[in-house]
Amino acid sequence: MSSVSLPVKGDVRHKAKSPILVKSLRTTFVLPLLIITLIVVVLLGVGIGAVEISPVQVVGILLDEFGIKNDISYEAHQQVVLMIIRLPRVVMGVLVGASLAVSGAAIQGLFRNPLADPGLIGISSGAALAAALMIVLGSTALSGVSLALGDMALPLASFTGGVLTTLLIYQLANVGGRTRVATMLLAGIAVNAVAGAGIGMMIFIANDDQLRDITFWSLGSLGRASWDTVAMMLPFLLIALVPLPFLARSLNALLLGEAEAVHLGIDVERVKMLIIIMVALAVGAGVAVTGIIGFVGLVVPHLMRLFAGPDHRLVLPGSALLGATLLVGADLLARMVAIPAEVPIGIVTALVGGPFFLYLLLRDRSKGYLI
């Protein structure tokens, strides 16, 4: 009789637990690694450019700004470049990147579809239409508003357009006190089409300077960032960034379906309303100061789910860190690729993110991921 070799018990135990161990290690270290990566990218973002500022000099300048004496030497023009130009730009990139990514993760969890995006329900399009109206009509029909608000006219108009669009879509999707996600998606498609037609009309009647402004703004840029714009948009961005991770448990329950979430004690309608309002604030405020930046809210949450699984307790904060890192890194590349000109950041995110996302789709379509 031929002998049958049985696997060693220890080998079976090791093989059975190794995938769980690997997953546990990933979920344990993913957030610290993302924090370290973000710090490195921020230091590169504030240090690299026509005026080089080393990480040590960055620390020295910041310590001096806070009144802490140190022996780190730097030039006066390096301090001006860091504090007036680069630091507000990088801070804005961190805030907007984190907001777009967290908003994307929340929308995807709400719709239970990892291909959903904040732009899908018309927020970005509404903000873009309002901005185009202000750019083209700011010297004629909207001259009073433009004169009264000054440099804040464009970002405030964009923010207002995003919020009003969201309220309109929410009202259209609210039937009998319940928000119908399918109706909201269809309303978003219709709003995107109408907003696109409105933007096309503004492009048609715009002069050369206005057309250039519309084009550059629609492609996205952090070039308008200043401490004033950071201060103006910070409350709206924080209102969305801070509470959304606390909805992780509700979003996890919604993955099972709305009926199951109700049985688990989740107030589904309240969660829907909170997510929609906070996403509107985050995306509207971000689009108001940077223009339309695609890809971040779509792909970053998907990458986080690949790294850390579907648990929104990791997906939401991880998306914030990864989104901030991605946008600051893309802005650095946009500034460096065609010196002294600046490539719109939306082009960089599309060129880098689009093919990479297609690669992920092709690689993982047979692995059981919900894509």
Side-chain angles (χ1 to χ4, degrees):
M1 179 182 294
S2 61
S3 61
V4 179
S5 60
L6 296 174
V8 180
K9 186 177 182 180
D11 293 343
V12 174
R13 182 166 57 248
H14 175 72
K15 290 181 180 179
K17 290 188 177 180
S18 59
I20 299 176
L21 178 61
V22 171
K23 182 179 179 180
S24 177
L25 290 174
R26 285 195 305 174
T27 56
T28 302
F29 292 106
V30 65
L31 292 183
L33 287 175
L34 287 174
I35 293 173
I36 294 172
T37 304
L38 176 59
I39 293 173
V40 171
V41 172
V42 165
L43 288 175
L44 292 176
V46 298
I48 296 178
V51 177
E52 295 290 337
I53 308 174
S54 70
V56 175
Q57 289 175 321
V58 170
V59 174
I61 294 172
L62 293 178
L63 289 176
D64 281 341
E65 289 292 326
F66 286 103
I68 302 174
K69 299 297 182 181
N70 62 89
D71 297 327
I72 301 174
S73 61
Y74 55 84
E75 301 293 334
H77 69 277
Q78 291 177 314
Q79 182 180 18
V80 172
V81 169
L82 176 65
M83 298 306 301
I84 304 300
I85 300 175
R86 290 190 192 160
L87 193 56
R89 183 178 183 131
V90 169
V91 170
M92 183 61 73
V94 169
L95 291 172
V96 173
S99 298
L100 292 175
V102 169
S103 298
I107 286 292
Q108 290 171 11
L110 177 63
F111 292 160
R112 299 185 295 279
N113 186 342
L115 296 182
D117 181 75
L120 189 67
I121 60 175
I123 302 174
S124 298
S125 296
L129 176 58
L133 288 169
M134 183 57 66
I135 290 172
V136 177
L137 304 180
S139 58
T140 55
L142 300 177
S143 58
V145 177
S146 181
L147 290 174
L149 298 178
D151 293 338
M152 295 294 103
L154 180 59
L156 286 177
S158 174
F159 174 73
T160 303
V163 172
L164 291 177
T165 302
T166 305
L167 292 175
L168 171 63
I169 294 174
Y170 182 74
Q171 287 299 320
L172 292 174
N174 192 287
V175 180
R178 298 180 61 85
T179 305
R180 297 185 178 180
V181 173
T183 304
M184 180 175 291
L185 291 173
L186 294 174
I189 293 173
V191 168
N192 282 328
V194 173
I199 294 172
M201 179 58 69
M202 292 300 103
I203 291 174
F204 179 74
I205 65 177
N207 59 37
D208 290 342
D209 291 337
Q210 294 168 345
L211 182 60
R212 190 178 299 109
D213 289 341
I214 292 175
T215 302
F216 190 79
W217 187 90
S218 65
L219 294 175
S221 172
L222 296 177
R224 300 181 184 88
S226 66
W227 290 121
D228 288 337
T229 56
V230 170
M232 182 181 66
M233 291 301 158
L234 183 61
F236 301 105
L237 295 175
L238 289 182
I239 286 174
L241 272 176
V242 175
L244 274 175
F246 290 97
L247 296 175
R249 177 176 172 271
S250 299
L251 287 171
N252 285 342
L254 281 172
L255 292 176
L256 303 174
E258 292 189 14
E260 289 77 6
V262 171
H263 289 306
L264 292 173
I266 303 300
D267 189 342
V268 174
E269 289 304 311
R270 179 174 174 271
V271 169
K272 287 180 182 179
M273 182 180 67
L274 288 175
I275 290 176
I276 291 166
I277 291 174
M278 286 185 283
V279 167
L281 288 173
V283 176
V287 170
V289 293
T290 65
I292 299 176
I293 298 176
F295 170 70
V296 177
L298 178 66
V299 176
V300 168
H302 177 68
L303 292 176
M304 277 306 305
R305 282 189 294 272
L306 292 181
F307 294 151
D311 189 348
H312 284 90
R313 291 175 296 178
L314 280 175
V315 170
L316 290 172
S319 294
L321 294 170
L322 185 56
T325 302
L326 175 65
L327 196 58
V328 173
D331 181 59
L332 176 61
L333 182 59
R335 289 191 283 118
M336 298 300 297
V337 72
I339 293 177
E342 177 183 326
V343 177
I345 194 173
I347 295 177
V348 177
T349 56
L351 287 177
V352 174
F356 182 63
F357 186 50
L358 289 175
Y359 163 74
L360 289 175
L361 289 175
L362 293 174
R363 189 193 68 175
D364 297 319
R365 64 181 177 180
S366 62
K367 293 184 179 181
Y369 292 115
L370 182 62
I371 56 177

